[in-house]
């Protein structure tokens, strides 16, 4: 099996997800440094709260849903946390779509974030329906796509400091990032699914063990 996602890469992804999720929660009480372009978004109230509460919770839960220990030992916890993840993605996605419409960087940023929101809602809804239908291999594939999109929050925050240092005016770089933060993630997920169709990410369960745990 080709090792696309090694254990150290998986650990790094988990740590970055937790850091981004926990720091994002500052937008709920609005304490600490807040991005001025985001606070100028005309749909910030009430959609930023809806967006951050749901999206950050999905980002917090997502990595643990892939862990062998949780899925093998506590299948009920996997199902319960899975429902919270789906609700988080839907709330985050609806809030994200509204924020996309008000993005101060203009229509290109609106298109990038808007398409991300649509793709996030679609992949997550399909993943949830496949689990309910007991179609576990398809559930796994759609969840990998959904989580690759949830990780847009991490990749966006890796690109932002690079954009601030780069040659382009920040607003132009930001428009590009509205696409760059998720399209490569989705392509990587597709490459993973293509190269290792039955494999689970490092440290997680194979579909047959996951199904047996249900
Ligand atoms: C994957 C689908 C997502 C979409 C469509 C989306 C969309 C957006 C949009 C449009 C904005 C406002 C940008 C602006 O006004 O210029 C925003 C801001 C924000 N989003 Fe998301 N987002 C997504 C995922 C996430 C996730 C998973 C998190 C979890 C941490 C998150 C946390 C935030 C935070 C904290 C802000 C406020 C500003 C900042 O710190 O960058 N988003 N999002």
């Amino acid at each position: 099996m080709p090792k696309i996602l090694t254990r150290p890469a998986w650990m790094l992804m988990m740590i970055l997800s937790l850091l981004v999720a926990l720091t994002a929660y500052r937008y709920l009480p609005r304490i600490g440094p807040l991005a001025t372009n985001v606070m100028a978004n005309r749909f910030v109230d009430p959609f930023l709260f809806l967006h951050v509460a749901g999206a950050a919770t999905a980002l917090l839960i997502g990595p643990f849903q892939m862990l062998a220990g949780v899925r093998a030992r506590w299948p009920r916890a996997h199902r319960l946390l899975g429902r919270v993840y789906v609700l988080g993605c839907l709330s985050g996605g609806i809030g994200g779509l509204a924020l996309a419409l008000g993005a101060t960087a203009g229509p290109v940023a609106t298109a990038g974030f808007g398409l991300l929101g649509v793709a996030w809602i679609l992949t997550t809804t399909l993943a949830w329906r496949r689990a309910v239908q007991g179609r576990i291999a398809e559930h796994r594939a759609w969840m990998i796509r959904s989580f690759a999109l949830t990780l847009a929050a991490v990749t966006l925050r890796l690109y932002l400091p690079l954009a601030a240092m780069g040659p382009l005016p920040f607003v132009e770089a930001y428009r590009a990032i509205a696409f760059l933060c998720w399209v490569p993630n989705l392509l990587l997920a597709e490459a993973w699914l293509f190269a290792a169709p039955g494999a689970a990410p490092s440290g997680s369960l194979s579909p047959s063990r996951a199904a047996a745990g249900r």
Side-chain angles (χ1 to χ4, degrees):
M1 179 191 75
K3 270 270 177 214
I4 292 178
L5 202 55
T6 59
R7 190 176 288 264
W10 186 253
M11 287 301 295
L12 181 68
M13 181 277 293
M14 278 188 69
I15 291 165
L16 290 175
S17 296
L18 297 188
L19 281 177
V20 170
L22 293 174
T23 53
Y25 281 127
R26 76 187 186 281
Y27 278 89
L28 301 182
R30 298 198 182 166
I31 294 170
L34 307 176
T36 45
N37 65 316
V38 175
M39 297 318 289
N41 188 304
R42 69 197 143 106
F43 296 118
V44 82
D45 284 313
F47 291 105
L48 189 63
F49 191 96
L50 187 74
H51 175 64
V52 173
T57 304
L59 190 60
L60 204 60
I61 290 174
F64 296 101
Q65 286 299 88
M66 310 286 174
L67 283 180
V70 176
R71 288 165 63 184
R73 274 179 241 157
W74 301 294
R76 285 169 67 183
H78 176 76
R79 287 200 290 268
L80 182 71
L81 286 176
R83 288 187 189 110
V84 180
Y85 174 86
V86 169
L87 287 178
C89 292
L90 296 183
S91 155
I94 291 165
L97 278 177
L99 291 172
L101 291 174
T104 48
V108 177
T110 295
F113 290 126
L115 287 171
L116 166 61
V118 170
W120 202 29
I121 291 171
L122 278 178
T123 52
T124 309
T125 306
L126 278 166
W128 168 68
R129 281 187 56 82
R130 294 299 174 260
V132 171
Q133 293 164 343
R135 293 158 68 175
I136 301 308
E138 289 169 68
H139 163 64
R140 165 189 166 274
W142 284 110
M143 269 308 175
I144 286 173
R145 292 182 184 113
S146 164
F147 191 58
L149 294 174
T150 307
L151 284 174
V154 174
T155 40
L156 179 125
R157 281 155 190 88
L158 294 177
Y159 296 144
L160 283 180
L162 298 178
M165 290 184 293
L168 285 179
F170 183 77
V171 71
E172 280 179 31
Y174 191 73
R175 285 173 190 141
I177 288 173
F179 288 90
L180 285 176
C181 71
W182 64 276
V183 175
N185 295 12
L186 201 53
L187 292 177
L188 213 63
E190 288 305 327
W192 161 262
L193 288 168
F194 180 76
S202 281
S204 67
L205 274 183
S206 69
S208 55
R209 283 186 66 198
R214 272 159 203 283

